[in-house]
């Protein structure tokens, strides 16, 4: 017997997908509104400092991405080790650049450690929900022809990694904007310098991850450079948040951390182990974690 119309399961999935994209659009609108309030209401000198700080982070990301052009053919074993290196950097950045500063920022606002931790945990949950939604509702294959090419699955997974790094650049830019909110260069300059230094290996990691997935060297570098554009945007948003919605900053830090930890566990680590290179991938992860921890704690 033939029945018309989509199945109940398809209707449920369609409804959930529409809700996900609606919430994502609403969050994007709030970020743009906050950035607009910063441009309109902020002190012009502070806005200039915040933009220059964000652009310095963008420039550092671009420098790291361009260094990937000089690297030629990469062996699969080396590819897995480099992805492990990027995974370690993401884990350290989540802990020392996002979660701990987020708790401190929330504590300064509310004066309560428990509430501060809960605030960042809410952000973590939002980050995980964002990545789950993207993985579930963003198509990963062609409807008729299916997957194409031997590296298509790896290619799609790496894009989640790139998205997580891009999300991470937004709160980094926000941190720069907040640091210049009161026009104190003794606060803003050291923080901006530390973030710019750590953006160099991040830009390199994004470009290398894309090359691993089969993207051409030049295109991988350009995409990695584009991911750094979130830094000046985040700087403006952070300046606006510091004058409007204070809790938005620690929540955004938690969101970026949740997205990055999810991608590392769900995609990057399994990807580095599927070719039998567990040991070099793990050593790369530990090296990346140590390097980023040093940059975050010694310079941040």
């Amino acid at each position: 017997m033939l029945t018309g119309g989509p199945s109940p399961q398809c209707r449920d999935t369609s409804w959930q997908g529409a809700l996900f994209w609606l919430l994502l659009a609403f969050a994007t609108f709030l970020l743009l509104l906050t950035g607009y309030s910063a441009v309109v209401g902020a002190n012009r000198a502070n806005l200039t400092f915040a933009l220059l700080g964000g652009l310095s982070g963008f420039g550092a990301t671009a420098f790291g991405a361009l260094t990937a052009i000089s690297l030629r053919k990469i062996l699969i074993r080396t590819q897995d080790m480099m992805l492990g290196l990027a995974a370690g950097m993401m884990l350290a950045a989540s802990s020392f650049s996002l979660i701990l500063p987020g708790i401190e920022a929330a504590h300064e606002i509310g004066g309560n450690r428990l509430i501060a931790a809960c605030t960042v945990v809410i952000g973590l949950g939002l980050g995980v929900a964002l990545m789950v939604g993207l993985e579930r509702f963003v198509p990963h294959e062609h409807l008729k022809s299916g997957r194409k090419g031997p590296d298509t699955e790896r290619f799609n997974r790496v894009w989640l990694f790139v998205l997580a790094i891009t999300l991470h650049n937004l709160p980094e830019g926000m941190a720069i904007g907040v640091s210049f909110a009161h026009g104190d260069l003794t606060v803003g300059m050291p923080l901006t310098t530390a973030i710019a230094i750590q953006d160099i290996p991040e830009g390199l990691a994004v470009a290398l991850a894309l090359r691993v997935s089969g993207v051409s060297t030049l295109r991988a570098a350009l995409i990695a450079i584009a991911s750094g554009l979130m830094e000046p945007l985040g700087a403006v948003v952070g300046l606006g948040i510091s004058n409007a919605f204070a809790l938005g900053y620690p929540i955004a830090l938690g969101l970026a951390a949740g997205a990055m930890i999810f991608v590392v566990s769900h995609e990057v680590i399994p990807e580095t182990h599927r070719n039998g290179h567990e040991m070099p991938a793990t050593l790369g992860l530990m090296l990346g974690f140590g390097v980023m921890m040093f940059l975050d704690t010694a310079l941040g």
Side-chain angles (χ1 to χ4, degrees), residues 70-140:
S70 62
L71 300 176
R72 301 302 178 185
K73 184 177 180 180
I74 307 174
L75 299 175
I76 294 179
R77 180 187 178 91
T78 306
Q79 292 176 5
D80 290 334
M81 186 175 68
M82 288 181 173
L83 277 180
L85 181 76
M89 293 171 57
M90 292 173 71
L91 288 176
S94 299
S95 302
F96 299 101
S97 294
L98 299 174
I99 294 177
L100 293 180
I103 292 175
E104 289 300 322
H107 181 251
E108 290 180 5
I109 295 169
N112 186 293
R113 284 282 178 184
L114 179 61
I115 295 177
C118 290
T119 300
V120 176
V121 168
I122 290 172
L124 283 169
L126 291 175
V128 172
L130 173 65
M131 301 313 294
V132 171
L134 289 172
E135 185 176 71
R136 182 171 183 182
F137 299 115
V138 175
H140 290 299

Side-chain angles (χ1 to χ4, degrees), residues 266-289:
H266 188 62
E267 301 292 350
V268 180
I269 292 178
E271 182 64 33
T272 61
H273 288 191
R274 76 185 183 100
N275 295 312
H277 301 142
E278 293 88 348
M279 182 59 71
T282 301
L283 292 176
L285 184 146
M286 297 305 300
L287 177 62
F289 189 95

Side-chain angles (χ1 to χ4, degrees), residues 218-252:
L218 180 59
R219 189 182 177 207
L222 291 176
I223 294 172
I225 291 172
S227 72
L229 289 173
M230 298 299 287
E231 299 241 0
L233 173 62
V236 177
V237 171
L239 194 64
I241 283 177
S242 64
N243 297 320
F245 180 48
L247 278 179
Y249 176 57
I251 289 176

Side-chain angles (χ1 to χ4, degrees), residues 144-166:
K144 294 183 179 180
S145 58
R147 298 183 183 272
K148 291 184 177 180
D151 294 326
T152 307
E153 183 178 356
R154 185 169 193 157
F155 179 84
N156 289 325
R157 289 179 174 178
V158 168
W159 277 105
L160 287 179
F161 161 75
V162 174
L163 177 61
I165 288 287
T166 303

